[in-house]
């Protein structure tokens, strides 16, 4: 995996690009001089958690021939200062899934993702407690 980053605006507007040409703009918070032109790096990490686990959950449900009519995730994350950095300490995810399936199928898919398959979750669990709830709509 290779990522390129270049500064595209002052003082902290950065553009990242992956190997296939997809780009994301990153910026710092206004409190330290940023201009809100993109997510902060730590927000991207939480977005990555939502995306990684969602790909797993959707894939698992589809393997069971379950059609998903709608899907969303909300993530609430708390950080705690440890030495000079603020690490994630608590992360709570709320999955909302619409479709014709049993509660246990959705729970099992989320459990498999967060406990076994999602690399982002496995990385974050070293410093953060990751909890979840889900709602079938």
């Amino acid at each position: 995996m290779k990522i390129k980053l270049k500064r595209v605006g002052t003082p902290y507007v950065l553009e990242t690009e992956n190997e296939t040409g997809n780009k994301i703009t990153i910026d710092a918070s206004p409190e330290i001089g940023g201009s809100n032109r993109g997510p902060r790096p730590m927000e991207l990490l939480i977005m990555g958690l939502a995306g990684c686990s969602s790909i797993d959950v959707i894939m698992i449900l589809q393997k069971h021939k379950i059609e998903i009519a709608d899907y969303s995730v909300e993530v609430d994350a708390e950080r705690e200062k440890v030495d000079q950095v603020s690490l994630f300490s608590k992360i709570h995810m709320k999955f909302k899934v619409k479709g014709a399936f049993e509660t246990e199928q959705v729970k099992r898919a989320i459990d498999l993702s967060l406990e076994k398959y999602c690399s982002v979750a496995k990385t974050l669990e070293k410093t953060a407690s990751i909890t979840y709830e889900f709602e079938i709509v």
Side-chain angles (χ1 to χ4, degrees):
M1 180 183 313
K2 293 185 182 189
I3 300 293
K4 295 178 185 175
L5 180 141
K6 67 179 178 178
R7 185 176 178 192
V8 294
T10 57
Y12 305 113
V13 183
L14 309 169
E15 181 181 84
T16 60
E17 182 177 353
N18 68 5
E19 293 174 284
T20 58
N22 298 303
K23 297 178 182 180
I24 294 177
T25 300
I26 301 172
D27 199 356
S29 69
E31 292 81 24
I32 65 167
S35 55
N36 276 332
R37 290 191 46 202
R40 320 287 175 267
M42 292 298 278
E43 291 171 332
L44 286 171
L45 192 54
I46 293 302
M47 289 176 189
L49 172 63
C52 179
S53 61
S54 293
I55 290 169
D56 291 340
V57 169
I58 291 167
M59 189 180 303
I60 291 165
L61 293 174
Q62 286 178 336
K63 281 183 181 178
H64 289 81
K65 308 291 187 218
I66 299 169
E67 189 171 324
I68 301 166
D70 198 16
Y71 179 95
S72 65
V73 180
E74 295 175 12
V75 182
D76 185 17
E78 296 178 24
R79 293 169 68 187
E80 187 176 293
K81 190 131 177 118
V82 177
D83 296 323
Q84 300 300 312
V85 297
S86 292
L87 302 175
F88 287 112
S89 57
K90 295 179 184 174
I91 301 169
H92 185 73
M93 305 177 76
K94 183 173 184 180
F95 295 82
K96 292 182 182 178
V97 188
K98 183 177 183 181
F101 31 71
E102 301 296 320
T103 300
E104 187 56 38
Q105 292 171 305
V106 176
K107 182 183 184 325
R108 180 76 176 134
I110 296 169
D111 285 344
L112 281 171
S113 174
L114 296 178
E115 295 171 8
K116 188 174 181 179
Y117 297 121
C118 177
S119 300
V120 180
K122 299 309 284 177
T123 299
L124 287 170
E125 75 181 6
K126 293 177 177 145
T127 63
S129 164
I130 303 173
T131 58
Y132 76 86
E133 63 186 283
F134 66 93
E135 177 183 353
I136 297 176
V137 246

